[in-house]
Amino acid sequence: MQNEQMIQAINDQVNKEFFSAYFYLAMQTYFSSMNLDGFANYFRVQVQEERDHALGFFNYLNKIGGKVTLSEIKEPQNEFSSPQEVFELALKHEQFITNSIYELMNISREIKDHTTEIFLQWYITEQVEEEENMGRVLNKLKLINGDGAGLFMIDSELAQRVYVPAVIPGAV
Ligand code: OFO
């Protein structure tokens, strides 16, 4: 696979995934500053997952002989007004990433790059989970509507999240 459009799109995706890690790191910092350690843990794990996603694209591009070009990672939003706002932004960002991966899939189909198409399947499945996870927490935050006791219950739940390294077929 040496299609320039595909290589460029995967390079862009490496940047987007590292930006995701950066964005979620800002969210982790916000929750740490509020002493909501469970929420901070949730985003700590999310940052690690995004790094895995980025390196998955990076490794895949290396493996197929495409040139990796690292570009500047833009500054993320660093100030947030509430936990609900954070999860609204996180869900919106995951929807953006899903669309971006769909676009990669569209390119691979157009150019009949079956190898990349198979590689992208893992990400497509992963995005269902990513949106679901963000959406689930967002719905709970809407339900408690700023109630302190409810917030601490969600915080305890999110403290349980554990990082499991991603094994991405085709990227190891
Ligand atoms: Fe949060 O998603 Fe990466 O790919």
Side-chain angles (χ1 to χ4, degrees), residues 82-165:
S82 67
Q84 185 170 324
E85 190 208 7
V86 170
F87 277 87
E88 279 164 354
L89 289 167
L91 177 59
K92 202 170 152 206
H93 183 68
E94 285 304 329
Q95 289 163 342
F96 163 75
I97 292 291
T98 300
N99 286 334
S100 180
I101 291 169
Y102 285 174
E103 192 47 41
L104 290 179
M105 183 61 102
N106 291 343
I107 297 169
S108 69
R109 286 187 173 163
E110 259 169 46
I111 65 170
K112 297 186 172 35
D113 177 355
H114 303 300
T115 311
T116 301
E117 194 174 328
I118 291 166
F119 168 69
L120 290 170
Q121 286 293 346
W122 184 92
Y123 284 91
I124 299 229
T125 307
E126 173 72 5
Q127 281 312 115
V128 175
E129 202 181 297
E130 294 279 83
E131 288 192 29
E132 197 185 342
N133 287 343
M134 295 299 181
R136 194 183 302 122
V137 181
L138 177 58
N139 285 340
K140 285 181 183 173
L141 287 168
K142 284 180 180 166
L143 272 176
I144 64 163
N145 196 23
D147 173 69
L151 195 61
F152 282 112
M153 276 181 65
I154 300 172
D155 192 60
S156 305
E157 187 193 317
L158 299 185
Q160 308 304 315
R161 190 178 188 197
V162 173
Y163 167 63
V164 179

Side-chain angles (χ1 to χ4, degrees), residues 15-88:
N15 186 280
K16 286 174 191 167
E17 299 289 346
F18 275 125
F19 173 77
S20 302
Y22 218 35
F23 196 17
Y24 295 143
L25 198 57
M27 294 176 180
Q28 178 190 328
T29 304
Y30 166 74
F31 285 116
S32 291
S33 74
M34 294 175 78
N35 295 321
L36 287 169
D37 296 336
F39 280 93
N41 174 65
Y42 181 91
F43 281 103
R44 184 178 303 112
V45 172
Q46 194 64 35
V47 168
Q48 290 171 300
E49 289 197 359
E50 296 303 343
R51 182 203 55 200
D52 286 351
H53 298 169
L55 291 176
F57 282 110
F58 176 89
N59 291 340
Y60 177 71
L61 204 47
N62 270 321
K63 198 169 171 176
I64 59 170
K67 179 163 183 332
V68 175
T69 308
L70 296 174
S71 53
E72 185 178 5
I73 301 169
K74 70 175 179 181
E75 180 182 338
Q77 179 173 336
N78 278 292
E79 304 293 335
F80 307 97
S81 61
S82 67
Q84 185 170 324
E85 190 208 7
V86 170
F87 277 87
E88 279 164 354

